[in-house]
Amino acid sequence: VTGKKTMVYMAISLAFVAGGILLAYLLEHVEPETGKTLNAVLFERVASKWAFGGSIITFALITEGALLFVAAQTGFIDGPRVLATMAHDRWLPRRFSYLSTRLVTQDGVMAMGFAAGAVLVGTGASVDLLVVLYAINVFVTFTLSQLGMSAHWWSVRKTERGWIHKLLINGIGCAFTLSILLITLTLKFNQGGWVTIVITSALVGLCFVVRGHYDHVAKAVEKLEADILPKLYATNPVEPGLRDPDAPTAVLLVSGFNGLGLATLLQLEELFPKQFRNIVFVGVGEVDSSQMRSHEQIETLESRMADDLQSYCDLAAQLGFHAEQRSGLGPDVVLELRIACAEVMHTFSRCVFFAGSLVFEDESEGLIERFLHNHTAYEIQRWLQIQGRSLVILPVCVSLEATAPAASSSKPTAVHSDPPRRLTAS
């Protein structure tokens, strides 16, 4: 309700100010002049006959510039959050999604600043070209927003009262913004419209490349799971150990029940036989606030995460470990992992942390791997080192060739999550 009222007040005030400025243009017969904005021409026409008119004009232009400078900062303030939302959905590198780390927020600001600088240099700081670029992309955003809301009201038409009225408002808005976008793009195509199309299309294409890589990795992780599960089930079960908080404990960071976690567990058993009595599986369910709007969805995610961790515990018990689980939910995976790890350190005095790291067989994937993967593990590793603890990162080699989706396991108690949605260890 408060947000709705605020938007109404803003719309009324902006309409009043914009309408007043347009009316002033007409009354003062304001026309474009080279090297001056329309507002500058208007201020000169109105204030030139006043006492101290020159000072008033200068003050008005300075305050207008200051307002624009402050408005530009909103992009750098909320820009990292927009990047985080896109990174949650795998359209951008996952490293942009962890807002609890100063490095990520700084990376987001630096990325936006570098992009802005590149646009200034590439356009030669041409105001005409920058205004066209801004206008086209603004109306692309407006059109997509109105179209998204129209699609939303249509999808909830069976349950939403007054959906026709709301659909009509957003539909008309979408038609207006789309028409302005098409007119601007057509009239200004040779004055910079084509540059906007090239830049925007390149960014959209880059997002699809990132999303395609993560989807490809997800299929490779599924195949890895199908290869490892038979090995684990073929192991002769032994009696699980008794819980001893003072005994050596392995803490395994996992991202749901998938091939990466299973490969890490298998390596832990092979590399450190009989070294640990307890094993604790720590996982975090990533909450996307833009999609999870009810307690039922949160509870479903929490239940799925608990089932995934319990599947790990069952396998570890067959290998002779005393197994426990620690889970958390939140929009920031790194922050929730820190909380869970701190709880484990308080309970088990002699614990060593482990996480899996994806390594690709194709050497050409090295640069992509460093940029798109493995940042969560290293963030937690740095934090644990400050706490005086160790995190051992075990490499898990996968091939991105012939990564057709693997068949589901026949194990009845395993709940398979979507690996790329919570790539905690990668």
Side-chain angles (χ1 to χ4, degrees), residues 244-289:
D244 184 359
D246 297 324
T249 302
V251 184
L252 189 57
L253 307 183
V254 295
S255 57
F257 195 82
N258 55 48
L260 179 60
L262 292 171
T264 309
L265 175 61
L266 188 61
Q267 284 197 62
L268 177 64
E269 171 65 15
E270 293 176 350
L271 296 176
F272 305 95
K274 309 300 180 181
Q275 295 294 316
F276 300 100
R277 180 176 299 180
N278 310 305
I279 185 168
V280 181
F281 295 95
V282 177
V284 171
E286 185 177 335
V287 176
D288 188 346
S289 59

Side-chain angles (χ1 to χ4, degrees), residues 176-363:
F176 275 120
T177 56
L178 179 60
S179 62
I180 295 174
L181 171 63
L182 295 176
I183 292 173
T184 304
L185 189 58
T186 302
L187 296 179
K188 298 294 183 179
F189 184 82
N190 293 328
Q191 286 78 33
W194 68 271
V195 178
T196 307
I197 295 176
V198 170
I199 295 175
T200 305
S201 300
L203 290 175
V204 172
L206 179 62
C207 291
F208 274 99
V209 169
V210 172
R211 178 63 179 263
H213 174 79
Y214 281 130
D215 290 343
H216 214 41
V217 171
K219 295 178 181 179
V221 173
E222 290 179 10
K223 184 177 183 299
L224 185 65
E225 176 183 345
D227 293 339
I228 291 178
L229 276 176
K231 298 179 182 179
L232 289 174
Y233 294 138
T235 304
N236 295 325
V238 298
E239 189 70 20
L242 299 178
R243 187 178 191 271
D244 184 359
D246 297 324
T249 302
V251 184
L252 189 57
L253 307 183
V254 295
S255 57
F257 195 82
N258 55 48
L260 179 60
L262 292 171
T264 309
L265 175 61
L266 188 61
Q267 284 197 62
L268 177 64
E269 171 65 15
E270 293 176 350
L271 296 176
F272 305 95
K274 309 300 180 181
Q275 295 294 316
F276 300 100
R277 180 176 299 180
N278 310 305
I279 185 168
V280 181
F281 295 95
V282 177
V284 171
E286 185 177 335
V287 176
D288 188 346
S289 59
S290 64
Q291 296 181 359
M292 296 188 177
R293 303 182 181 274
S294 66
H295 292 292
E296 290 77 10
Q297 291 175 308
I298 300 295
E299 290 174 356
T300 300
L301 175 60
E302 185 176 16
S303 175
R304 185 176 66 182
M305 198 70 209
D307 289 342
D308 288 351
L309 295 179
Q310 186 58 48
S311 298
Y312 280 118
C313 291
D314 294 340
L315 287 174
Q318 296 180 16
L319 297 175
F321 295 101
H322 168 77
E324 296 184 11
Q325 61 171 280
R326 299 289 190 277
S327 62
L329 294 176
D332 193 321
V333 174
V334 173
L335 180 60
E336 296 299 326
L337 279 175
R338 289 179 180 179
I339 296 173
C341 291
E343 180 185 349
V344 173
M345 287 187 291
H346 179 74
T347 305
F348 298 92
S349 57
R350 301 173 60 190
C351 59
V352 179
F353 292 82
F354 294 87
S357 172
L358 290 175
V359 177
F360 302 105
E361 293 181 356
D362 188 355
E363 294 182 358

Side-chain angles (χ1 to χ4, degrees), residues 3 18 31 43 88 131 160 168 200 202 257 280 287 299 325 394 400 405:
E31 295 181 356
F43 292 149
H88 279 310
V131 168
E160 182 72 22
L168 189 62
T200 305
F257 195 82
V280 181
V287 176
E299 290 174 356
Q325 61 171 280
L394 302 176
L400 295 185

Side-chain angles (χ1 to χ4, degrees), residues 95-134:
R95 64 185 304 168
F96 287 112
S97 65
Y98 308 135
L99 289 172
S100 64
T101 60
R102 178 180 177 273
L103 177 63
V104 171
T105 305
Q106 178 176 298
D107 281 351
V109 173
M110 292 298 294
M112 297 186 63
F114 177 79
V119 170
L120 283 176
V121 173
T123 59
S126 171
V127 175
D128 294 337
L129 189 58
L130 291 174
V131 168
V132 171
L133 189 150
Y134 168 80

Side-chain angles (χ1 to χ4, degrees), residues 34-75:
T34 303
K36 295 181 181 179
T37 64
L38 290 179
N39 283 346
V41 176
L42 175 62
F43 292 149
E44 288 182 354
R45 296 278 180 89
V46 173
S48 59
K49 301 177 182 179
W50 298 351
F52 308 105
S55 300
I56 294 174
I57 294 173
T58 301
F59 177 76
L61 294 178
I62 290 175
T63 55
E64 182 180 5
L67 286 174
L68 292 175
F69 179 80
V70 173
Q73 304 312 303
T74 58

